[in-house]
Amino acid sequence: MEKKELIEKINILRKEKNAIILAHYYQESDIQDIADFVGDSLALAQWAAKTTADIIVLCGVHFMAETAKILSPEKRVFIPDAMASCSLAESCPADEFEKFTKAHHNHTVISYVNTTAAVKAVTDIVVTSTNAKQIVDSLPENEKIIFGPDKNLGDYINKITGRNMLLWEGACHVHEQFSLEKILELKKQHPNALLLAHPECRKYILEIADHVGSTSSIIKFGRESNSKQFIVATESGILHQMQKENPEKEFIPAPPEDSTCACNDCFYMKMNTLEKLYLCLKNEHPEIFVDEEVRIKAVKPIERMLELSFP
Ligand code: 13P
Ligand code: SF4
């Protein structure tokens, strides 16, 4: 089907079914453009919690759709491609993470939102990269903390908060790919360009970055900065919003180690397509379900996050 026709059909279906389309900044441009709301993982959770729509189509990865379902169990939640997983969430199997938390039972357990519902169910507070510092700072200074699963984000939060959280050894396959050498070379070619990096990047990239932040924070920085050129070290989908908002500025994607692969594309995020979004709305499939016992446990640390997240 032609793109124009797909868009028309999606528009009819979402109206008929009182559906809201939420999209992450890493989605392909067409999906970002048709979404009712585009945001980072915190904003998507906040929207899912407050929407009055009957149906949520979450164009992102599985944990994002699952978080929406956990927060809004009375709504039907769909994802265009049910296989859209997350390498970071997969690096943290719930049974092993639970063993880790039990071995350190006097610790508060903080989990990044990039986790399965089962991991959230054994967590005290969920965080995203937008609010992780704020939430860690809100805990008493002597509180012992476990942070999982992203070791790069955990290490960065330890550094900027002066904490010594115990870290789970997980990582994201996209953010671990950026090449220091190639970024330094790019900086030489564009001496005025600022480096913007997501905290899931490796430490040596974060150390040379001019700004470290979540996807929404990177977009905000690009909008508010007086600079005209930026090297962006996060998933390439974000460039669409940045370029759209700032047509006069140049946003250069940071290169991955392996130049033969599109490693700064999240393979999982890009599994969703406009056609799959249309089919998902039409067929009301694939649907997200969360075991009620797990949901009841998982919703608490997410709600705690939402309470502790102030603008
Ligand atoms: P944000 O919370 O910054 O949107 O990041 C989500 C994510 O999956 C990063 O890889
Ligand atoms: Fe997960 Fe990495 Fe993709 Fe983000 S970019 S969804 S952390 S695999």
Side-chain angles (χ1 to χ4, degrees):
M1 208 184 297
E2 290 284 310
K3 183 163 128 185
K4 192 168 165 273
E5 198 183 339
L6 273 175
I7 292 173
E8 278 168 13
K9 289 194 185 260
I10 290 170
N11 285 336
I12 293 169
L13 283 169
R14 71 165 146 198
K15 220 172 177 183
E16 261 174 30
K17 301 192 179 201
N18 188 26
I20 187 170
I21 301 172
L22 305 180
H24 189 264
Y25 292 123
Y26 296 164
Q27 290 294 282
E28 62 171 45
S29 313
D30 289 337
I31 293 186
Q32 292 192 41
D33 288 343
I34 203 171
D36 294 287
F37 176 77
V38 190
D40 67 2
S41 38
L42 174 62
L44 295 176
Q46 288 167 328
W47 266 93
K50 72 181 179 198
T51 180
T52 54
D54 296 317
I55 285 177
I56 300 172
V57 182
L58 200 311
C59 300
V61 289
H62 195 272
F63 77 81
M64 295 175 175
E66 200 174 52
T67 303
K69 183 68 183 175
I70 293 169
L71 284 164
S72 287
E74 72 293 352
K75 308 227 152 71
R76 297 186 68 198
V77 178
F78 300 97
I79 185 167
D81 191 320
M83 301 305 282
S85 175
C86 164
S87 60
L88 182 50
E90 280 177 11
S91 71
C92 189
D95 52 343
E96 287 176 33
F97 189 67
E98 190 171 10
K99 266 190 220 151
F100 181 59
T101 63
K102 283 192 173 149
H104 305 281
H105 57 88
N106 54 347
H107 286 59
T108 295
V109 181
I110 298 188
S111 293
Y112 193 29
V113 70
N114 299 42
T115 44
T116 59
V119 168
K120 291 185 176 84
V122 294
T123 291
D124 296 306
I125 317 176
V126 167
V127 298
T128 75
S129 47
T130 290
N131 56 26
K133 178 182 183 306
Q134 204 176 64
I135 289 177
V136 170
D137 278 341
S138 75
L139 300 177
E141 255 173 53
N142 57 355
E143 189 131 340
K144 292 181 170 155
I145 305 171
I146 282 176
F147 186 94
D150 192 83
K151 61 178 181 197
N152 295 315
L153 173 63
D155 184 60
Y156 175 69
I157 298 295
N158 269 343
K159 190 180 138 208
I160 60 173
T161 60
R163 303 277 177 148
N164 190 20
M165 303 185 295
L166 282 182
L167 307 181
W168 181 263
E169 279 286 309
C172 156
H173 75 295
V174 178
H175 289 87
E176 287 235 306
Q177 283 294 330
F178 295 112
S179 158
L180 179 62
E181 248 179 35
K182 290 181 188 169
I183 290 177
L184 291 174
E185 189 51 45
L186 260 183
K187 273 175 88 81
K188 255 195 229 158
Q189 290 165 20
H190 306 278
N192 295 324
L194 299 182
L195 175 63
L196 315 182
H198 195 280
E200 287 172 24
C201 292
R202 289 182 195 263
K203 189 178 186 165
Y204 50 71
I205 305 283
L206 301 181
E207 278 170 357
I208 60 157
D210 297 289
H211 176 72
V212 177
S214 61
T215 50
S216 55
S217 160
I218 288 176
I219 290 173
K220 183 168 183 273
F221 191 93
R223 182 190 309 132
E224 293 176 356
S225 167
N226 291 329
S227 294
K228 293 280 176 245
Q229 261 185 345
F230 305 86
I231 301 165
V232 185
T234 190
E235 210 270 353
S236 60
I238 199 172
L239 298 169
H240 177 62
Q241 286 300 325
M242 298 184 90
Q243 207 61 75
K244 210 167 141 179
E245 282 189 22
N246 311 278
E248 75 295 356
K249 296 182 181 178
E250 187 185 2
F251 300 98
I252 307 161
E257 297 277 359
D258 179 356
S259 39
T260 62
C261 97
C263 313
N264 50 2
D265 275 349
C266 173
F267 164 78
Y268 300 110
M269 284 279 181
K270 299 300 194 280
M271 286 176 120
N272 296 325
T273 60
L274 207 55
E275 173 141 30
K276 288 184 196 168
L277 168 57
Y278 158 65
L279 291 172
C280 165
L281 263 171
K282 178 172 171 260
N283 302 329
E284 302 188 4
H285 177 83
E287 185 162 2
I288 301 288
F289 297 100
V290 181
D291 174 81
E292 187 57 9
E293 220 174 288
V294 174
R295 194 196 70 78
I296 289 168
K297 289 184 189 152
V299 76
K300 288 185 193 147
I302 305 175
E303 283 177 347
R304 191 137 179 235
M305 166 183 84
L306 295 178
E307 283 156 26
L308 292 170
S309 304
F310 37 89

